[in-house]
């Protein structure tokens, strides 16, 4: 009744006092009154942490007392380490106040605690997935792509079988930023394999092929690029970029018969114009 009356009157200082009393009672095991010899059994750290989070929210959102809000969230984590609502509240507090480095430290610590407390925890644990996603975004905002890549790799290892197009795309972008060339090519090939849209699939194969071709220093890599070009052309046979790339690579590799076959197939394509047919046959 006291809490409801204080809330109805918007008496936030009084609500804070009541919530702090509640937290203290939960920590002492007296939330339902004196428990006598069995007081230890009535101690409820999560109940106390929840009350401290409520106090922090009032300080932050109603009373504009940032330092007190920060202290209350820290108290929640002190009484119940890793308490997810407190982690979320403190992370939001850091984000709202532009303290992104501290938000990263908090989430890194949270992830360490999750893995240490329950090494058999499901890879799909929602709090772990959310922590990894938020942490990666913070590192990107801070201009730390290497750290973001490290975290997104952990995220990919935690999500189902790891074959997620959006996640692979995110990884590929971070690989581009960090110069992780080989990983980016591999990811683009995986993205293409998993895409349903034929034009996007062909574009992903083409991008992977071009990257691989320009950095190829071995025959094996050149052959991998050839394979990717062919996959792109199997989907979009008249793609001029893919045909030109494949032709150039076949020329460099001195695969004359394959190059002749390619030109003859260009000439035989029903959509080729007369001029295109003549040019292809002349080149063949």
């Amino acid at each position: 009744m006291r809490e409801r009356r204080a809330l109805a009157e918007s008496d936030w200082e009084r609500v804070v006092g009541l919530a702090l009393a509640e937290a203290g009672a939960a920590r002492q095991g007296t939330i339902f009154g004196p428990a006598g010899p069995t007081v230890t059994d009535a101690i409820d750290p999560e109940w106390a942490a929840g009350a401290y989070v409520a106090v922090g929210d009032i300080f932050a959102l109603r009373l504009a007392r940032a330092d007190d809000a920060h202290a209350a969230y820290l108290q929640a984590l002190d009484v119940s380490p890793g308490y997810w609502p407190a982690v979320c509240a403190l992370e939001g507090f850091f984000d709202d106040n532009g303290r992104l480095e501290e938000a990263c430290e908090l989430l890194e610590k949270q992830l360490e605690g999750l893995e240490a407390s329950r090494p058999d925890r499901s890879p799909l644990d929602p709090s772990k997935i959310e922590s990894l996603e938020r942490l990666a975004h913070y590192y990107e905002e801070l201009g730390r792509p290497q750290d973001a890549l490290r975290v997104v790799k952990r995220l990919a290892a935690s999500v189902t079988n790891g074959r997620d197009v959006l996640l692979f795309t995110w990884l590929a972008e971070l690989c581009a930023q960090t110069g992780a060339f080989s990983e980016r090519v591999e990811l683009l090939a995986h993205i293409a394999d998993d895409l349903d849209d034929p034009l996007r699939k062909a574009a992903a194969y083409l991008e992977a092929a071009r990257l691989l071709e320009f950095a190829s220093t071995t025959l094996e890599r050149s052959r991998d690029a050839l394979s990717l070009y062919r996959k792109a052309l199997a989907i979009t046979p008249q793609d001029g970029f893919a045909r030109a790339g494949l032709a150039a690579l076949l020329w460099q590799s001195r695969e004359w018969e394959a190059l002749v076959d390619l030109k003859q197939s260009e000439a035989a394509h029903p959509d080729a114009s007369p001029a295109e047919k003549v040019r292809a046959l002349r080149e063949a």
Side-chain angles (χ1 to χ4, degrees), residues 181 185 189 202 204-233 241-250 252-253 255:
F181 161 78
V185 170
Y205 281 133
L206 179 58
E207 185 179 356
R210 289 172 65 82
L211 285 170
L212 199 55
E213 176 191 353
F214 293 142
S216 291
T217 56
T218 64
L219 181 59
E220 182 179 356
R221 278 197 163 183
S222 295
R223 286 174 178 163
D224 288 339
L226 285 171
S227 174
L228 291 167
Y229 274 128
R230 286 179 171 128
K231 285 183 177 182
L233 281 172
F241 289 107
R243 283 192 169 277
L246 179 57
L249 198 54
L250 288 171
Q252 292 171 22
S253 305
E255 296 191 28

Side-chain angles (χ1 to χ4, degrees), residues 47-171:
W47 189 326
Y52 283 128
V53 170
V55 169
D57 288 344
I58 293 170
F59 280 138
L61 305 174
R62 298 292 183 179
L63 299 175
R65 289 163 54 179
D67 290 343
D68 289 329
H70 184 205
Y73 295 143
L74 289 177
Q75 273 188 297
L77 288 172
D78 179 60
V79 71
S80 183
Y83 181 61
W84 183 239
V87 172
C88 293
L90 185 53
E91 180 221 325
F93 172 84
F94 287 144
D95 189 12
D96 291 342
N97 289 277
R99 296 161 65 171
L100 301 189
E101 292 282 2
E102 289 171 274
C104 290
E105 291 174 11
L106 172 69
L107 291 173
E108 291 278 18
K109 185 177 179 180
Q110 171 72 1
L111 287 163
E112 288 176 12
L114 286 174
E115 291 171 2
S117 62
R118 285 181 53 189
D120 59 339
R121 178 183 293 270
S122 166
L124 292 175
D125 183 286
S127 61
K128 179 180 179 181
I129 299 300
E130 192 170 349
S131 294
L132 288 167
E133 287 180 348
R134 292 179 178 180
L135 183 57
H137 283 302
Y138 284 135
Y139 280 138
E140 284 190 300
E141 286 188 56
L142 287 166
R144 294 167 58 178
Q146 290 284 2
D147 287 318
L149 178 60
R150 168 179 58 81
V151 173
V152 177
K153 283 181 179 179
R154 290 175 66 186
L155 180 60
S158 299
V159 176
T160 59
N161 60 357
R163 300 183 72 81
D164 181 296
V165 171
L166 291 176
L167 199 52
F168 276 169
T169 303
W170 192 5
L171 276 169

Side-chain angles (χ1 to χ4, degrees), residues 159-194:
V159 176
T160 59
N161 60 357
R163 300 183 72 81
D164 181 296
V165 171
L166 291 176
L167 199 52
F168 276 169
T169 303
W170 192 5
L171 276 169
E173 290 172 355
L174 288 170
C175 286
Q177 293 176 37
T178 57
F181 161 78
S182 297
E183 288 180 82
R184 188 181 178 207
V185 170
E186 183 179 348
L187 285 164
L188 285 168
H190 282 310
I191 290 169
D193 289 341
D194 287 351

